[in-house]
């Protein structure tokens, strides 16, 4: 467990920002690195050693690749790269998939191998991909090796996005690691603060609230009326979007305050008109990572259609497995693989000719059923849940009507705010205010109201974990 929300907001964040802005320029990276370690070690003092090992290991790998390049020894360079990939993925697989592999073997061969019951280091899926992006790009000569271990450590451990992304590739942030390349900008910092406040609002006011409905319905184990199951999945659909995009907003906002520009991780994915478009808008940093470091190296679409389909299969199998050690996650990844191949073969061309509304409905239905698979990690429960959607336990019930009446307001708010229209309306209203100061005051007032409401909810509810902490 990491910091509680209140400890983070009232103690860690003010102290960190005060230290960061008060120390001389040359010490800012060191402060951020140290405080990021404190942030991580607060809940996992043992597993900080693994993150530090990955940091030092790939820092040394980067230097070794640089030296071997100067000596023109490509075979040794390749050996260093393979070592980096094997060790990093080996650590990830050991902690994340050992018990899954043992239980799978037990089920398949009727053995009684004892699971290790190892706790998953928080954020290991994210920082492993970040360290790999560094060594691979140094090997490809896309970036230079980092000689300052403090700057490299700060890149790996930077607390705003350490736990749940976005996944920051070294190439995207290389120049910003130099403090002189990210001078303090009050406009950027103020915009970052507003973004951070809105991110908290997404998480606390929307994700947590609608998540309570999903928690109640999921506890039924799939034994519920069709209406109840559809409401539950719709609740999870909104919860996971506002939970994860809220975290990304908070991370991007905090990074801006510190002077960094991180790339966007969400772009209103539920507005997509195809599943292909959905995956260009959802968890963008993960999609980019798999494209750059798996799909393209495998050959992408350059080696004919059969090879392209195989490459897509590998990418989506790994994408599902990356999200969790469970057959439902693998099934979820392969579900999207099938849809994307169908779209690539003919459906995209058909959707382009149809009205946009048809594409929207089709995409939302596909994504809706994907979340049914994703949310139910017990295959038996998943089976019952799918059956309930097709009326095994009746069409509607008093419970469904009760849930709808009690959560109708948050559903309406969630649906509206998952579209760009509220933002467009707000921008239109701001455009009619002539004074720049007045426009900022209105934005600040809105964000303060959202933050105050969120803070009250945090105080009353205690710990507020993010869904993606467990992935």
């Amino acid at each position: 467990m990491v910091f509680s929300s209140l400890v983070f907001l009232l103690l860690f964040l003010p102290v960190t920002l005060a230290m960061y802005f008060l120390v001389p320029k040359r010490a800012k990276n060191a402060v951020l690195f140290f405080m990021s370690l404190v942030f991580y070690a607060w809940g996992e003092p043992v597993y900080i050693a693994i993150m530090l090992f990955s940091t030092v290991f790939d820092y040394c790998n980067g230097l070794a690749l640089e030296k071997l390049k100067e000596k023109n020894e490509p075979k040794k360079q390749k050996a260093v790269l393979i070592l980096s990939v094997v060790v990093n993925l080996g650590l990830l697989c050991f902690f994340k998939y050992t018990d899954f592999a043992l239980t799978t073997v037990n089920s398949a061969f009727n053995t009684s191998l004892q699971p290790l019951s190892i706790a998953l280091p928080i954020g290991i899926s994210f920082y492993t991909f970040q360290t790999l992006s560094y060594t691979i790009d140094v090997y490809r000569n896309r970036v230079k090796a980092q000689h300052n271990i403090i700057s490299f450590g700060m890149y790996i451990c930077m607390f705003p996005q350490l736990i749940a992304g976005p996944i920051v590739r070294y190439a995207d942030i290389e120049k910003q690691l130099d403090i002189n390349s990210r001078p303090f900008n009050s406009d950027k910092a103020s915009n970052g603060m507003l973004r951070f406040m809105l991110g908290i609002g997404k998480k606390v006011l929307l994700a947590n609230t609608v998540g309570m409905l999903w928690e109640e319905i999921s506890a039924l184990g799939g034994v519920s009326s069709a209406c109840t199951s559809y409401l539950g999945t719709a609740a999870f659909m909104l919860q996971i979007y506002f939970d994860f995009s809220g975290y990304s907003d908070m991370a991007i906002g905090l990074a801006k305050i510190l002077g960094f520009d991180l790339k966007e991780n969400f772009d209103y994915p539920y507005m997509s008109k195809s599943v292909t478009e959905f995956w260009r808008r959802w968890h963008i940093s993960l999609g980019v990572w798999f494209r750059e470091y798996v799909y393209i190296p495998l050959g992408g679409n350059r080696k004919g259609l059969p090879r392209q389909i195989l490459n897509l299969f590998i990418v989506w199998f790994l994408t599902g497995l990356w999200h969790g050690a469970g057959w439902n996650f693998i099934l979820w990844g392969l579900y999207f693989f099938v849809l994307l191949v169908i779209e690539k073969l003919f459906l995209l061309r058909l959707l382009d000719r149809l009205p946009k509304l048809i594409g929207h409905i089709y995409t939302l239905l596909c994504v809706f059923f994907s979340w049914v698979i994703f949310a139910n990690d017990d295959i038996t429960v998943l089976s019952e849940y799918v059956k309930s959607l097709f009326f095994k336990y009746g069409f509607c019930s008093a419970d469904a009507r009760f849930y709808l009446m009690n959560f109708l307001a948050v559903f309406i708010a969630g649906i509206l705010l998952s579209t760009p229209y509220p933002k467009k309306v707000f921008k239109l209203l701001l455009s009619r205010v002539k004074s720049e100061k007045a426009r900022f005051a209105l934005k600040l007032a809105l964000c303060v109201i959202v933050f105050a409401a969120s803070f009250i909810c945090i105080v009353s509810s205690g710990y507020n974990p993010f869904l993606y902490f467990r992935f």
Side-chain angles (χ1 to χ4, degrees), residues 134-154:
Y134 169 73
T135 50
I136 293 170
D137 282 349
V138 171
Y139 174 79
R140 291 173 171 176
N141 297 321
R142 291 186 177 178
V143 299
K144 295 180 180 179
Q146 175 59 251
H147 285 248
N148 187 321
I149 193 168
I150 297 297
S151 296
F152 183 72
M154 182 194 66

Side-chain angles (χ1 to χ4, degrees), residues 448-468:
V448 167
I449 291 169
V450 169
F451 180 78
S454 303
F455 189 82
I456 292 168
C457 289
I458 290 170
V459 171
S460 62
S461 62
Y463 185 55
N464 293 272
F466 287 86
L467 290 180
Y468 261 71

Side-chain angles (χ1 to χ4, degrees), residues 55-75:
T55 301
V56 175
F57 177 67
D58 282 304
Y59 169 77
C60 294
N61 285 333
L63 295 178
L65 287 167
E66 183 182 64
K67 290 291 183 185
L68 292 169
K69 179 190 172 186
E70 291 172 359
K71 294 179 180 178
N72 194 26
E73 298 190 68
K75 289 184 178 179

Side-chain angles (χ1 to χ4, degrees), residues 2 8 39-40 122-123 126 130 157-167 195-196 198-204 207 239-255 262 265-266 283 464-469:
V2 294
F8 178 80
F39 173 81
Y40 194 83
I122 292 176
F126 290 89
Q130 292 195 178
C157 308
M158 191 164 60
F159 76 88
Q161 46 73 232
L162 171 62
I163 304 299
I167 298 167
R195 182 79 177 266
F196 175 74
L198 289 177
I200 289 179
K202 277 186 177 182
K203 162 63 179 167
V204 176
Q239 181 193 11
I240 196 166
Y241 170 64
F242 286 111
D243 184 278
F244 195 17
S245 68
Y247 184 95
S248 294
D249 285 341
M250 293 168 67
I252 292 168
L254 284 175
L262 304 185
N265 210 23
F266 289 87
H283 203 344
N464 293 272
F466 287 86
L467 290 180
Y468 261 71
F469 279 9

Side-chain angles (χ1 to χ4, degrees), residues 31-156:
V31 165
L32 188 51
F33 180 39
F34 174 75
M35 293 307 291
S36 295
L37 293 178
V38 171
F39 173 81
Y40 194 83
W42 184 271
E44 294 201 337
V46 175
Y47 286 145
I48 194 173
I50 296 165
M51 186 173 65
L52 286 174
F53 169 78
S54 294
T55 301
V56 175
F57 177 67
D58 282 304
Y59 169 77
C60 294
N61 285 333
L63 295 178
L65 287 167
E66 183 182 64
K67 290 291 183 185
L68 292 169
K69 179 190 172 186
E70 291 172 359
K71 294 179 180 178
N72 194 26
E73 298 190 68
K75 289 184 178 179
K76 290 184 179 179
Q77 278 184 281
K78 193 170 186 178
V80 170
L81 175 66
I82 292 171
L83 178 67
S84 174
V85 171
V86 168
V87 171
N88 280 293
L89 292 183
L91 283 171
L92 176 62
C93 291
F94 175 75
F95 283 101
K96 194 166 185 175
Y97 304 111
T98 299
D99 283 358
F100 174 61
L102 291 173
T103 54
T104 300
V105 169
N106 287 341
S107 298
F109 300 103
N110 198 27
T111 54
S112 55
L113 300 172
Q114 279 295 108
L116 302 181
S117 301
I118 304 170
L120 179 68
I122 292 176
I124 190 171
S125 298
F126 290 89
Y127 69 71
T128 297
F129 274 22
Q130 292 195 178
T131 59
L132 282 174
S133 81
Y134 169 73
T135 50
I136 293 170
D137 282 349
V138 171
Y139 174 79
R140 291 173 171 176
N141 297 321
R142 291 186 177 178
V143 299
K144 295 180 180 179
Q146 175 59 251
H147 285 248
N148 187 321
I149 193 168
I150 297 297
S151 296
F152 183 72
M154 182 194 66
Y155 156 67
I156 299 297

Side-chain angles (χ1 to χ4, degrees), residues 424-452:
K424 287 180 179 178
V425 169
F426 187 66
K427 280 188 173 181
L428 180 63
L429 293 174
L430 285 179
S431 68
R432 299 186 178 183
V433 179
K434 294 182 179 180
S435 167
E436 179 65 35
K437 290 183 178 179
R439 285 197 294 271
F440 180 77
L442 286 172
K443 287 195 286 187
L444 180 62
L446 173 65
C447 293
V448 167
I449 291 169
V450 169
F451 180 78

Side-chain angles (χ1 to χ4, degrees), residues 200-217 231-232 234-236 238-240 242-243 403 406-414 453-454 457-458 460-461 464-465:
I200 289 179
K202 277 186 177 182
K203 162 63 179 167
V204 176
L205 302 180
L206 292 171
N208 285 5
T209 304
V210 80
M212 290 190 291
L213 175 57
W214 166 243
E215 194 174 329
E216 279 199 39
I217 294 175
L231 274 176
F236 183 80
L238 291 175
Q239 181 193 11
I240 196 166
F242 286 111
D243 184 278
Y403 290 141
N406 279 273
F407 287 89
L408 183 61
V410 73
F411 267 112
I412 293 172
S454 303
C457 289
I458 290 170
S460 62
S461 62
N464 293 272

